[in-house]
Amino acid sequence: MTSPRTRFYLDKQNKKWAGVCAGIADYTGIDTTLVRLGFVASLFVIGPMAFAVYFIAAWMAPTKPAGLYEHNPVDQRFWQGVRANPTRTARDVRSRFRELDRRLADVEAYVTSSNHRLAREIEELR
């Protein structure tokens, strides 16, 4: 079963006709205007077949749930990245955890090391 955030949905909130272009834009992270211009360009290339594909997508795709991203643009960009390239996203998350682990190790080494200068300054204050 796929996560509800990695599925394609019709975006009825930003729709012009049925929400297919807005759904594609939400799914891929591409600007809605560019997706709509791409659809118009496809009308010139493949003609009425573009309308058929559009209406089949509108008929088959479910409507986007209301609180899918809960108005959090960071969450939305993350899930768009997961849909675009799940492997890269997992690699980025692992990289961030490694960086965090490295930084925590640096802090731990600094705190637990014997800092002779600090010890001398404390002794001078006594």
Side-chain angles (χ1 to χ4, degrees), residues 3-125:
S3 170
R5 294 183 177 161
T6 59
R7 294 193 59 207
F8 171 73
Y9 293 108
L10 299 175
D11 189 356
K12 297 287 186 173
Q13 295 171 340
N14 299 316
K15 71 176 187 169
K16 292 295 180 192
W17 287 337
V20 174
C21 290
I24 292 170
D26 178 55
Y27 186 80
T28 60
I30 299 173
D31 185 48
T32 310
T33 307
L34 293 176
V35 174
R36 289 179 179 139
L37 288 174
F39 174 71
V40 170
S42 71
L43 287 174
F44 293 110
V45 175
I46 59 175
M49 184 64 123
F51 276 118
V53 170
Y54 183 91
F55 288 116
I56 289 171
W59 177 64
M60 292 183 67
T63 303
K64 181 170 113 177
L68 187 64
Y69 303 119
E70 299 174 10
H71 306 291
N72 186 349
V74 174
D75 196 28
Q76 181 177 2
R77 295 300 297 169
F78 172 77
W79 285 107
Q80 287 171 345
V82 168
R83 289 187 297 255
N85 192 344
T87 307
R88 185 187 74 215
T89 303
R91 188 173 48 243
D92 289 347
V93 169
R94 278 193 303 274
S95 172
R96 287 180 186 165
F97 276 119
R98 270 188 294 227
E99 175 65 19
L100 181 62
D101 188 42
R102 185 195 60 77
R103 290 174 61 193
L104 285 172
D106 290 347
V107 168
E108 180 184 11
Y110 180 76
V111 169
T112 59
S113 70
S114 59
N115 191 340
H116 299 292
R117 183 175 148 230
L118 180 63
R120 188 182 68 226
E121 288 180 11
I122 291 173
E123 287 299 320
E124 289 176 3
L125 292 174

